[in-house]
Amino acid sequence: MGRPKQFDPDAVVGKAMDVFWRKGYAATTPQDLVDELGIGKGSLYHAFGSKHALFERALERYRDTQAAALVELLDQPGPVLPLLRSALELLIETDLGESGRRGCLAVNTATELGGRDDASTELVRRMFERTEGAFKAAVERGQRTGEFAPDRDPAAVASLLLAALVGMRVIARAQGGRERLCRVADAALAML
Amino acid sequence: MGRPKQFDPDAVVGKAMDVFWRKGYAATTPQDLVDELGIGKGSLYHAFGSKHALFERALERYRDTQAAALVELLDQPGPVLPLLRSALELLIETDLGESGRRGCLAVNTATELGGRDDASTELVRRMFERTEGAFKAAVERGQRTGEFAPDRDPAAVASLLLAALVGMRVIARAQGGRERLCRVADAALAML
DNA sequence: TTCTTTCTTTACCTGAAGGTACAAAATTTG
DNA sequence: CAAATTTTGTACCTTCAGGTAAAGAAAGAA
């Protein structure tokens, strides 16, 4: 009932995710959103309420697409080491690729809003936790199949892998070259 | 000649560093600076020219104090492993301590301005490079003295240590607990 | 067809970001 | 002392962030 929306809210949230990912939260203005989402300011605020609410939707979308994709990749069956390698390579290529060193939205949000925006901080914290969990499961699997030495604490290794991944994406934003990023990935895999 | 300044510019830059460190670049307003630096807006702009110029001074100060302190710590003589351990522990305590999870100004700047502000990006890139160099030198030293296995590539290990350190500080901003941060540090040291 | 509901457009609003202008104040030089 | 120079405080300015209001448009309900 009532006039139907002239845009697809899901698609708009996806575009908003891209904008926030590229520019950050504070640096994204309502005008940026109007320009890049292709809908009027009225519709924007009518549909989403506020810039912050839209940002939360975008961050949830990031979790459900990007972060989830990484977890799914790690959960695949088969030898674990190639999985880890392709995960890290995927991120390196993403960071160096077309879309231009925007890094990771969760990481960017952690440093921009961490401790100052509870909802966003909590979303990011859980994404980190989930990713770490996937790493831990992968390491445990690798130990069971004899692929990795069984004497390392999987939780500790997983924490290190998460930190290395996060650090890699920050370094990518600071103009870190491919060699440097690959060195991080190689060293991380070599320690297993 | 002329009227003398009523404040110490160096001290003001130090305070500005704290403010930017705590709030980030965009989220720091001229009014915040006036309030927290204790000087008038006229003096502020007269002495430093612009918010951005002051930020660059603050970032250089960060490099010359915080980043330099880490490098100096790593360059100390004696067994390398305890040095690395105390470096990581120092950062963990800093991140969890009084000043409140502000993380690392270089990391925060990388994710906020990386690729969008050339001067800042370059400053951060060089800080990362310098820190990685200090890690590499430490690892090489540890290998020469037989403290570490000699078969690992020091550059690769150093890259991983830098990434882990950076990642740790991001995770700290996302409410990562002490256990998690210590797990990262332990795992990083265990791989040597 | 009119009523109701929801969406869209356009106009508008308030506050503050980021900075400039200028006169007054404090110093050194002649 | 007057002149020249630099700093300071206050007032002011322009733009835009972030959002609201109101009127019209497009649908279904009665």
Side-chain angles (χ1 to χ4, degrees):
Chain A
M1 192 204 231
R3 179 172 176 174
K5 279 196 172 63
Q6 305 230 354
F7 61 91
D8 174 7
D10 280 355
V12 164
V13 169
K15 287 186 193 173
M17 179 187 80
D18 278 330
V19 181
F20 285 125
W21 192 351
R22 191 153 24 82
K23 312 181 76 134
Y25 176 70
T28 297
T29 70
Q31 193 53 49
D32 289 333
L33 291 169
V34 166
D35 292 344
E36 306 213 38
L37 307 188
I39 68 178
K41 206 195 247 189
S43 301
L44 214 189
Y45 278 89
H46 177 67
F48 300 105
S50 71
K51 177 182 158 184
H52 188 270
L54 178 57
F55 179 72
E56 275 186 50
R57 296 276 304 263
L59 198 53
E60 288 164 358
R61 176 65 55 84
Y62 186 83
R63 174 196 63 197
D64 297 339
T65 57
Q66 313 296 310
L70 178 60
V71 170
E72 267 180 46
L73 203 166
L74 291 174
D75 280 347
Q76 281 186 331
V80 177
L81 191 60
L83 242 49
L84 289 172
R85 178 171 298 283
S86 54
L88 294 179
E89 276 171 1
L90 170 70
L91 297 180
I92 290 177
E93 294 313 318
T94 303
D95 276 343
L96 295 177
E98 197 51 31
S99 32
R101 293 177 181 283
R102 70 236 263 234
C104 164
L105 179 57
V107 171
N108 300 347
T109 302
T111 60
E112 184 179 2
L113 303 176
R116 324 193 67 214
D117 172 345
D118 288 347
S120 304
T121 304
E122 183 60 15
L123 269 166
V124 170
R125 199 184 60 71
R126 294 174 85 99
M127 274 192 258
F128 285 171
E129 215 158 55
R130 186 147 176 60
T131 305
E132 192 181 2
F135 276 132
K136 176 155 171 266
V139 170
E140 282 169 341
R141 202 146 47 86
Q143 287 184 338
R144 273 200 305 276
T145 63
E147 210 175 341
F148 302 145
D151 60 326
R152 314 284 292 270
D153 174 13
V157 172
S159 290
L160 179 56
L161 284 174
L162 174 67
L165 189 166
V166 167
M168 228 178 57
R169 307 201 76 178
V170 173
I171 292 166
R173 294 220 56 184
Q175 308 297 322
R178 170 173 266 114
E179 331 77 62
R180 182 160 318 217
L181 302 183
C182 287
R183 272 210 305 277
V184 175
D186 288 342
L189 298 175
M191 77 169 177
L192 296 166
Chain B
M1 193 205 226
R3 179 173 176 173
K5 278 195 170 64
Q6 303 225 339
F7 60 90
D8 174 6
D10 281 355
V12 164
V13 169
K15 287 185 193 174
M17 179 188 80
D18 278 329
V19 180
F20 285 126
W21 192 352
R22 190 155 22 84
K23 311 180 74 134
Y25 176 70
T28 298
T29 70
Q31 193 54 48
D32 289 333
L33 292 169
V34 165
D35 292 344
E36 306 213 40
L37 307 189
I39 68 177
K41 206 195 242 188
S43 301
L44 214 189
Y45 278 90
H46 178 67
F48 300 106
S50 71
K51 175 183 160 183
H52 187 269
L54 177 58
F55 179 73
E56 276 185 50
R57 298 276 302 266
L59 199 54
E60 287 164 358
R61 176 65 54 86
Y62 186 84
R63 174 196 60 197
D64 298 338
T65 57
Q66 313 297 309
L70 178 62
V71 169
E72 267 179 45
L73 202 165
L74 291 174
D75 281 347
Q76 281 186 332
V80 177
L81 191 58
L83 242 49
L84 289 172
R85 178 171 297 283
S86 53
L88 294 179
E89 276 171 2
L90 170 70
L91 297 179
I92 290 176
E93 294 313 317
T94 303
D95 275 344
L96 295 177
E98 198 51 30
S99 32
R101 295 179 181 278
R102 69 236 263 231
C104 164
L105 179 57
V107 170
N108 300 348
T109 302
T111 59
E112 183 179 2
L113 302 176
R116 323 194 63 200
D117 173 345
D118 288 347
S120 303
T121 305
E122 183 62 14
L123 269 166
V124 170
R125 199 183 59 72
R126 295 173 84 100
M127 274 192 259
F128 284 172
E129 215 158 55
R130 186 149 177 57
T131 305
E132 191 180 3
F135 276 132
K136 176 154 172 266
V139 171
E140 283 169 340
R141 202 147 47 86
Q143 287 185 337
R144 274 200 304 277
T145 63
E147 210 175 343
F148 301 145
D151 61 325
R152 314 284 291 270
D153 174 12
V157 173
S159 290
L160 179 56
L161 284 173
L162 174 66
L165 189 166
V166 167
M168 228 178 56
R169 307 200 77 179
V170 173
I171 292 166
R173 294 220 56 186
Q175 308 297 323
R178 170 174 267 112
E179 331 77 65
R180 182 162 314 220
L181 302 182
C182 287
R183 272 209 306 275
V184 175
D186 288 342
L189 298 174
M191 77 169 178
L192 296 166

